[in-house]
């Protein structure tokens, strides 16, 4: 794939739009026909990433109302591209002269200028987190499609700064109760205190999001380059601010032993299952029937309110103080983006997995099996 | 990309072959014309991944001699596909009946059967580490191409099991001196002792490989899905046994603060540089001119000589003891595979980056700049 | 490419929208940064395909005003996706019950139902000619980009029904003067008479569009599957109603002789040129520096006002009379669609052609040539 | 697709090799597991394109023995890449100095030099007809796969120079009896006489190949850019020497009327069928259940034994006489290449068509239908 705003093969999404342009949107192509879909299905997920929901998120007032422009007829997807749009309401003429004329540390200002020669500097332009609106809208479709196959995708905050959830206390329902999406009330309180400290210091924090894909059939993913985990890794690293990805035991596995890290196979009734899940649901790049479990590491928000050393576009060293309010941590709002990107990736690979076996294809086309034998 | 054995867009490689089939190979398409290339260039890199080199690697005797079958004429690449082949010599009729009839823990036996209905069980078939021969052969081309642009790609062992190199002692030349490819002689000795302990316990170890891309121009990578780090992540997770990827400070960044993690911009002569490199050379998915630094985490070798619980193909629980000699750790031989995949990824993105700006394109085609203005 | 509404690699467009949905649009990704672009540039081309312009085109009243939603900043393309939208105004609740319940001969009603299980039957849904709005909008960008490299793309009507233009009388300026886009006033008059006859008979006509790409550098296109002419053929056949494609002498070449069909090479000053252009500007799939000349054959409009035999969705034979006004020929409005698809195809292949030679790449990155030699 | 030697998405082939290099081959990736496949299956098709079979084909003595190197185990495809190779035996050191130093009219010599800076001039290098060996080998797999679904692909010579088969006399079995693959003995005799005349004149001829795909289910192909006929057009134009493509009535449709060209739908038992097949089996880019019928026009062989005007690489005008024996017409040997490319295209689109409908996907994954409804 060359042009950079598309991802996926059979189910492919293309996002577009800048932070302070007219609108933000996505075209989701290749969704099978016959899926019930309404704007409410999309809006529900979009509302989970909306700013202005707590003291830890930006106060930008955007209702972020989605409109479905194509691809749905009489309440069902038609198999043709589903175009969705969210108008940017908050385009008030702010003063961007400072951002325009220098490079914010930790942002893409410098690299955009190097690549394209100039950039839309308003609110970060294309590299703004608002670009994820398109991902989440498409992710809502993918989540609905997967639900129709009884597959669920659930992400939550695993850590903020140094504060981690406890596996013992972990309770997924709790993640919906606190503003940090942590499935552990105690860790959430601790993390809130940590964030308030960082805000008082004009500083910011990072964190880790964990995601679980439940009920995925075994057999998804291709053996070599199109491994399921390789595509999940790309999908996660494609999210701005993500600096790391791991599946199953991940980096910890590198310090473990084979006798511990190998998951024994056992029978549960008629089904082959794994006694443990160090692999994170993938063996040789192919789903193994266990939960797929992976994590994405987010760096601290680069926009901080204290003076920073940088250089101007005309190549003079200077000191920059970024004004305005910014999230001290992106993680809580990124949880739904992780879910969306995981769902989009899995949906595509599930559709592709249908062509692996001749006998299943013959069944699909209602042709007698074995008809290729002499 | 659906068919799973290809990666890349403009420079695209396709690997093929099973561990105990007739041969293993790769077709590298899209290499620009005019690059000097000989079989020795390829062989040099292949020799770095060859088994039978130390007591920590399998004793399989393979000379792994590469033959270039196309795409090179009078010592230079012609711009057409470069096909390379390595014959499998060690195809002696071993007894594979046990592997054939059950699922080795930590291997892809079960998932292949679920996906394809059956599998070539000899030596792991397509999911064998021998598949990486094709990657390394193609990587040798990519490394030579990048060298022609003064770009280098260097990987080494960062840790084996719990034994890590020390940044203070780190010396890249040392990595060529020890069998574990560690740029720290003391850590290498410690790691050797650790591995001997594991072997005595019929157990295995994992580790981390670090890779540095030096002298990469700023501006490579696309803003949204085709980020440079997203493609590196996919390339790394596409290597069997890799369970994690991180760039720059990676997972550690998630526990850091913005004031620490942000890299200040400074001037060095006429050039904009970063005072630190927490970002690992990528901002917003686009190379920023600093070294690109990333790590891949490898799980412990799944083939261990102690009895393991598993199930047979006919769905009966059983105990399996894997015979034969296996590497107690894959990391030292994986170092060159990481280098190869990094070079392949970067070469492709560098070629794609040439089309970012109209003024550069006009220059390339020797057309007067600004001719689109009214 | 699986998901079907995208075309192109480096410059890739994705169209969306149904005839009577909310809107129609396109996302054009991968346009180089720095191209001057306004909504007027797009509107000018769109106005050439607008209905309601003569008695030979439908009377649907659509202003088809385009809005650019992203990817342009301060009058120039930014290198990020350019999203464009045209609202469908003419959505008056017509009675579609008949089209909904049966299969119009020559239309895609039956095949959509077979493929997707149901369809948006209003005005042909996704298979309506209104889908080409997205193509033309993206084509306007491609034409502007090519113009910045002094390359022009010009299409015109070569024949309508049995009436062909005469090469002797041919005058490209004349194509803008008559409603049929024929570069031959006499043929245009004859063709008008033919069309009036067909309309009186409640019948319709087809025709051929010819396209010339001027000033294309030699060296575009890839030797095997990605031939320039192969991609032009796909682009043309992707237009609804096109049933044939030929380049240079095309089908006539199959009845010719080598001694006639071969174009001799000659010198014109310092440049190698061809004495004739039977090849149509492509040799071995690669542009040869002569004008690229190709033709697309359009079938007669399938919507005719006389009774036709067909079957209903509930599988009963019936007679159908299509009401409403339809173009007796699609060719005049298709001329600009041919131009757009040609420009999109050529722009993509031109960008891809920049990576063919190491010496040119070294020049581009300002690296000393020959640095890969030992 | 950028790198030019691959085609297809789910079933994707990559050809490689030059006329006088070490070998020629193909990697066919994405073939479903479980298809019975032997080297004989491949050889049978390869033998149909072999040179040296009649006085109208080159006397090059090549046995063209294929070897399957991977992807087949115990007689069945494993779902992994199938690599196939044919060694070039006839590499005798011929004198290529003349071809090396000038541009043969009608060949790709000039365009290769323009694109790549130099070329492998031996026997045409990559643009030699020997490249089609890889296509035919992969096509043999596709034909076998399609046969397992009861779908057949049959091509034959429709015309040579001005000599066409008669629809009345047409008999497909006859095509196997004569050296020109014409399903009409009388036309074959006439065409032989025509070819002998051309050979006597040191000249050459072109022709048209027609292809019929029988028993293809309705519903293959995507509505917009990935139309079935658009992909067939690309596949055909990707064959060297092809200058035109048409489906159904093709160019003749452009001179026809809607009342004639529209195919009425009728019932045959429970099935919807078309009373005629002017469409050539495709409506709106999607297969309609009728035979898919298309034609490819081949230009006359450019290598002719009479003196031709051309220029040398050092840009001097000169006269060139091509020595050695060349086919006076490529059509008879191209018939099997057309079949191969058609089968490869249709196999890919058939696999992709499996993901069009949610209800079919739910059935495939054995999930209860309608489970996405609220």
């Amino acid at each position: 794939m060359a042009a950079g705003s598309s991802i996926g093969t059979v189910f492919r999404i293309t996002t577009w739009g800048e932070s302070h342009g007219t609108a933000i949107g996505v075209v989701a192509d290749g969704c099978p026909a016959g899926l019930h879909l309404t704007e409410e299905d999309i809006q529900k997920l979009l509302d989970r990433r909306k700013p202005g929901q707590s003291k830890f998120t930006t106060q930008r007032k955007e209702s972020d109302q989605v409109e479905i422009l194509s691809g749905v007829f009489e309440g069902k997807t038609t198999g043709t591209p589903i175009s969705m749009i969210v108008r940017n309401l908050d385009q008030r003429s702010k003063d961007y002269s400072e951002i325009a004329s220098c490079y914010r540390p930790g942002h893409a200002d410098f690299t955009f200028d190097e690549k394209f020669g100039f950039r839309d500097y308003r609110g970060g332009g294309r590299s703004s987190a608002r670009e994820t609106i398109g991902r989440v809208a498409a992710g809502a479709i993918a989540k609905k499609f997967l639900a129709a196959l009884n597959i669920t995708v659930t992400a939550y905050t695993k850590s903020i700064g140094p504060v981690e959830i406890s596996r013992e206390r972990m309770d997924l329902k709790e993640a919906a109760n606190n503003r940090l999406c942590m499935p552990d009330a105690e860790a959430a309180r601790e993390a809130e205190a940590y964030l308030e400290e960082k805000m008082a210091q004009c500083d910011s924090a990072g964190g880790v999001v964990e995601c679980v894909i439940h009920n995925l059939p075994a057999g998804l993913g291709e053996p070599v380059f199109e491994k399921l985990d390789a595509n999940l890794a790309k999908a996660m690293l494609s999210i701005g601010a993500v600096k790391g990805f791991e599946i199953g035991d991940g980096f910890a596995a590198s310090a473990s032993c084979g006798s511990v890290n190998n998951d024994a196979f056992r029978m549960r009734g008629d089904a082959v299952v794994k006694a443990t899940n160090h692999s994170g649901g993938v063996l040789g790049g192919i789903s193994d029937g266990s939960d797929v479990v992976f994590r994405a590491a987010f760096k601290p928000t680069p926009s901080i309110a204290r003076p920073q050393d940088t250089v101007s576009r005309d190549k003079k060293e200077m000191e920059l103080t970024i004004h305005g309010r910014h999230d001290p941590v992106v993680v809580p709002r990124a949880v739904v983006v992780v879910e969306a990107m995981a769902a989009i990736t899995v949906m595509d690979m599930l559709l592709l997995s249908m062509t692996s076996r001749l006998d299943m294809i013959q069944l699909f086309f209602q042709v007698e099996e074995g008809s290729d034998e002499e």
Side-chain angles (χ1 to χ4, degrees), chain A:
Chain A
M1 285 302 152
S5 289
S6 298
I7 198 164
T9 298
V10 165
F11 179 64
R12 180 170 55 219
I13 72 162
T14 304
T15 71
W16 55 268
E18 283 86 31
S19 173
H20 285 63
T22 311
I24 288 272
V26 67
V27 182
D29 197 9
C31 179
L35 181 72
H36 287 84
L37 191 74
T38 64
E39 287 175 354
E40 287 67 43
D41 291 323
I42 312 296
Q43 197 62 50
K44 239 186 293 174
L45 218 66
L46 275 183
D47 287 349
R48 284 177 53 197
R49 75 158 292 290
K50 224 167 47 178
Q53 302 192 113
S54 82
K55 64 179 160 181
F56 302 126
T57 58
T58 57
Q59 295 307 301
R60 177 165 170 161
K61 288 282 177 296
E62 291 278 13
S63 60
D64 286 350
Q65 285 296 317
V66 73
E67 189 184 6
I68 298 180
L69 299 170
S70 68
V72 176
F73 181 60
E74 296 180 342
K76 287 189 293 183
T77 58
T78 58
T80 61
I82 303 164
S83 178
M84 295 179 285
I85 189 174
V86 168
R87 294 268 162 184
N88 287 325
L89 303 179
D90 190 3
Q91 292 172 275
R92 62 169 171 265
S93 61
K94 218 172 116 180
D95 183 7
Y96 286 109
S97 55
E98 196 166 50
I99 296 183
S101 65
C102 77
Y103 300 132
R104 289 169 298 162
H107 280 279
D109 303 340
F110 171 66
T111 51
F112 264 65
D113 266 13
E114 286 290 303
K115 183 176 191 66
F116 296 118
F118 79 116
R119 73 197 133 96
D120 178 350
Y121 44 75
R122 300 165 303 161
R126 182 70 180 143
S127 63
S128 159
R130 280 190 72 71
E131 181 269 330
T132 60
I133 286 177
R135 304 181 186 223
V136 172
I141 298 172
K143 285 195 65 165
K144 192 124 205 255
F145 170 80
L146 293 173
L149 296 167
N150 301 326
I151 300 163
T152 57
V153 180
T154 314
Y156 45 83
T157 302
K158 183 177 172 277
S159 68
I160 284 184
V163 185
E164 260 194 62
I165 58 168
S166 136
R167 293 287 175 199
E168 284 71 40
R169 287 192 304 258
M170 184 168 157
D171 171 14
L172 276 180
K173 283 186 296 291
E174 171 58 30
N177 292 338
N178 65 72
R179 297 177 292 196
L180 300 179
C181 302
M182 289 184 113
D184 171 348
E186 197 174 316
R189 274 188 298 276
E190 231 182 295
E192 289 209 15
Y194 176 78
L195 286 177
E196 294 195 2
E197 186 193 315
K198 286 296 132 191
M199 288 170 81
Q201 295 162 349
C202 294
D203 212 337
S204 65
V208 173
V209 175
E210 188 165 80
C211 185
V212 178
I213 306 169
H214 184 62
N215 211 26
L216 198 63
L220 269 67
E222 303 296 322
V224 180
F225 298 117
E226 296 295 320
K227 288 182 162 83
L228 175 58
D229 37 351
N231 279 312
L232 285 170
K234 176 168 180 174
M236 290 308 123
L237 266 291
S238 81
I239 303 173
V242 171
K243 302 300 284 183
F245 169 88
E246 57 178 15
I247 188 154
D249 285 5
F251 275 85
S254 73
S256 180
C257 305
S259 61
V260 172
N261 190 67
N262 283 354
D263 302 309
F265 288 108
R266 298 282 81 188
M267 295 304 303
R268 185 183 300 153
D270 272 356
V272 176
V273 296
K274 284 155 51 210
T276 50
N277 191 15
H278 297 287
S279 77
V282 178
L283 282 170
I286 303 170
S287 62
D288 64 17
S290 302
D291 281 357
V292 173
V293 183
F294 66 85
R295 282 168 293 285
F298 288 78
K299 71 176 183 180
T301 314
S303 290
I304 52 178
R306 62 167 81 175
Q308 297 182 81
D309 283 344
T310 193
V311 303
S312 61
R313 285 199 77 194
D314 54 3
K315 304 208 167 182
K316 289 187 177 42
E317 298 195 340
M318 58 173 283
E319 197 178 83
L320 169 74
T321 304
I322 296 174
H323 302 292
R325 230 193 104 131
H326 295 90
D327 293 7
V329 68
V330 300
V331 167
R333 290 178 59 199
V335 164
V336 68
V337 180
V338 167
E339 258 180 37
M341 290 306 301
I344 288 163
T345 304
V346 163
M347 175 175 172
D348 190 37
M349 304 213 76
L350 181 136
L351 293 172
L352 284 166
S353 77
M354 294 173 69
T355 66
S356 301
R357 293 169 60 160
L358 179 63
D359 52 1
M360 297 295 285
I361 297 166
Q362 288 175 320
L363 205 63
F364 185 94
F365 286 103
Q366 300 177 292
V367 174
E368 210 181 330
E369 218 184 303
S371 58
D372 77 303
E373 291 176 66
E374 326 289 63

